[in-house]
Amino acid sequence: MATILGLESSCDETAAAIVRSDRTILSHALAGQEDHHRAFGGVVPEIAARAHAELMTPLVETALADAGMTLDDVDAIAATAGPGLIGGVMVGLVTAKALAMAAGKPLVAVNHLEGHALSPRLIDADLEFPYLLLLVSGGHCQLLRVNGIGDYDRLATTIDDAVGEAFDKTAKILGLGFPGGPAVEVTAARGDLNAVPLPRPLKGAAEPHFSFAGLKSAVLRAHESGRYRTEDIAASFQQAVVECLQDRLEYSLDRIDPPAALVVAGGVAANSAIRAMLSDLADRRGMRFVAPPPWLCTDNGAMIAWAGAERFAAGLTDGLDFVARPRWPLDHEAAPARGAGVKA
Ligand code: KG4
Ligand code: ZN
């Protein structure tokens, strides 16, 4: 049995957690930075890095105290080593390196996306490889076949915006504040999802990929027209996202030998309309549906500690010379979605 301390600092959440390889979450401490970034309507990288530097050490102390442990009691120290805002990633990684050196423990450098990808296995001991994963976050929208630790086939990706980005931009356009995803969901609950005609980018397309940029522009036009209630735009937007995700998933599911489970992870996986659609889709396809609880979908330390535990159990530790990576795809062999220069 191994006990892992995990640190997360790739975006605007600073977090530390202690997780055991038997799936016990001994502690998890998290500090959001919403107040630091709200005035700017989005995450400011330099402000985020500075806040991570202030918050990380106290959060590690809290996580250790809550678990009733000292560093001597942990077997390895894991940290997000990318991808993400590089200043923040460096803060978490360098903290983990210093702790590892001081305590004489191994370092596990975790890919933040693998943290999300493996998080469903932390809450579901029966979830075995391979599984189909919809990874939806502020920076990504990908459909992946998870074959094992460090072994991913990317089946689809967004050709423009990430789905969380679309939620955040919609929130900004509608003046719903920051962070955007939860605000759009709450507002959408009071609206009519058929009230505003919005496009379904790439719906029915003869390719597996996702697209959300056109949706965001249509939201802007609908808002500027002055013809629609904010609640109705939010509800119609969320419905368009649900339908696009569903259509794109059906496209891929029709063309692959589907694994036993459909899994969703990443911050946007906290959205209940998206979860309901996926649960229904999995039912119809005879697949098991697994979704982490919302707190484990958005960035947190427990998912990094768990990915660290999985890697540590597989003998995958890293040297203290591991360099933080701003970009770090899960599937290195995936071709760009459409030519060069696209975000993937
Ligand atoms: O995984 P995450 O915490 O950070 C990244 O790795 O990007 O994802 C954050 C994203 C943000 O875009 C946020 O607006 C979105 O997840 N999000 C949601 C919800 N909660 C968070 N989007 C839709 N509905 C939600 N309830
Ligand atoms: Zn994330």
Side-chain angles (χ1 to χ4, degrees):
M1 180 105 68
T3 302
I4 311 293
L5 168 66
L7 312 187
E8 160 60 28
S9 59
S10 67
C11 190
D12 60 341
E13 240 84 49
T14 320
I18 300 176
V19 170
R20 231 163 40 193
S21 52
D22 69 353
R23 297 184 162 76
T24 308
I25 300 168
L26 295 170
S27 64
H28 62 97
L30 182 143
Q33 304 178 358
E34 289 83 3
D35 296 343
H36 292 77
H37 303 290
R38 184 166 287 117
F40 306 95
V43 179
V44 184
E46 289 311 316
I47 294 175
R50 196 178 306 239
H52 287 304
E54 284 166 13
L55 293 165
M56 188 53 90
T57 303
L59 284 171
V60 169
E61 284 165 358
T62 302
L64 285 168
D66 289 353
M69 289 184 161
T70 68
L71 266 189
D72 287 338
D73 301 315
V74 308
D75 295 294
I77 297 161
T80 291
L85 301 174
I86 196 64
V89 173
M90 286 168 69
V91 169
L93 184 59
V94 93
T95 305
K97 286 176 180 176
L99 295 172
M101 195 187 283
K105 307 286 178 176
L107 172 77
V108 186
V110 172
N111 181 322
H112 178 82
L113 301 174
E114 180 155 68
H116 282 301
L118 299 179
S119 66
R121 283 165 54 83
L122 170 56
I123 48 107
D124 191 327
D126 299 325
L127 178 60
E128 287 180 7
F129 301 122
Y131 52 87
L132 188 65
L133 170 70
L134 179 67
L135 177 58
V136 277
S137 70
H140 295 83
C141 181
Q142 301 191 344
L143 188 63
L144 298 144
R145 189 183 171 91
V146 184
N147 302 311
I149 296 153
D151 184 0
Y152 301 85
D153 293 323
R154 198 197 71 192
L155 306 177
T157 187
T158 178
I159 61 164
D160 41 54
D161 291 351
V163 62
E165 202 176 340
F167 270 94
D168 293 335
K169 286 177 178 167
T170 292
K172 199 167 181 177
I173 291 165
L174 299 180
L176 298 178
F178 174 83
V184 170
E185 179 171 7
V186 168
T187 309
R190 299 193 304 269
D192 173 359
L193 48 85
N194 295 311
V196 185
L198 294 174
R200 270 71 173 144
L202 291 185
K203 187 170 177 185
E207 61 170 309
H209 300 301
F210 303 88
S211 168
F212 297 100
L215 194 46
K216 164 196 71 192
S217 316
V219 163
L220 180 61
R221 285 193 299 274
H223 174 68
E224 287 181 341
S225 78
R227 290 169 53 202
Y228 304 106
R229 295 165 60 224
T230 297
E231 295 88 325
D232 292 343
I233 299 177
S236 301
F237 162 79
Q238 186 172 271
Q239 178 60 19
V241 169
V242 165
E243 283 180 32
C244 289
L245 290 174
Q246 176 175 345
D247 176 73
R248 306 290 65 214
L249 250 74
E250 305 256 24
Y251 177 94
S252 284
L253 280 167
D254 284 343
R255 284 160 182 80
I256 59 169
D257 183 16
L262 173 63
V263 174
V264 68
V268 183
N271 185 282
S272 46
I274 293 172
R275 292 165 83 95
M277 176 276 289
L278 293 171
S279 167
D280 187 60
L281 176 63
D283 268 2
R284 278 189 284 110
R285 296 269 176 173
M287 299 171 82
R288 206 155 74 78
F289 176 59
V290 181
W295 77 265
L296 201 57
C297 290
T298 46
D299 290 348
N300 64 85
M303 71 181 197
I304 302 305
W306 174 251
E310 294 239 42
R311 296 187 73 83
F312 183 69
L316 300 168
T317 58
D318 298 280
L320 295 180
D321 56 352
F322 195 99
V323 177
R325 303 177 179 176
R327 293 177 61 81
W328 189 359
L330 283 176
D331 179 357
H332 297 277
E333 272 142 39
R338 279 188 190 176
V342 293
K343 287 200 266 176

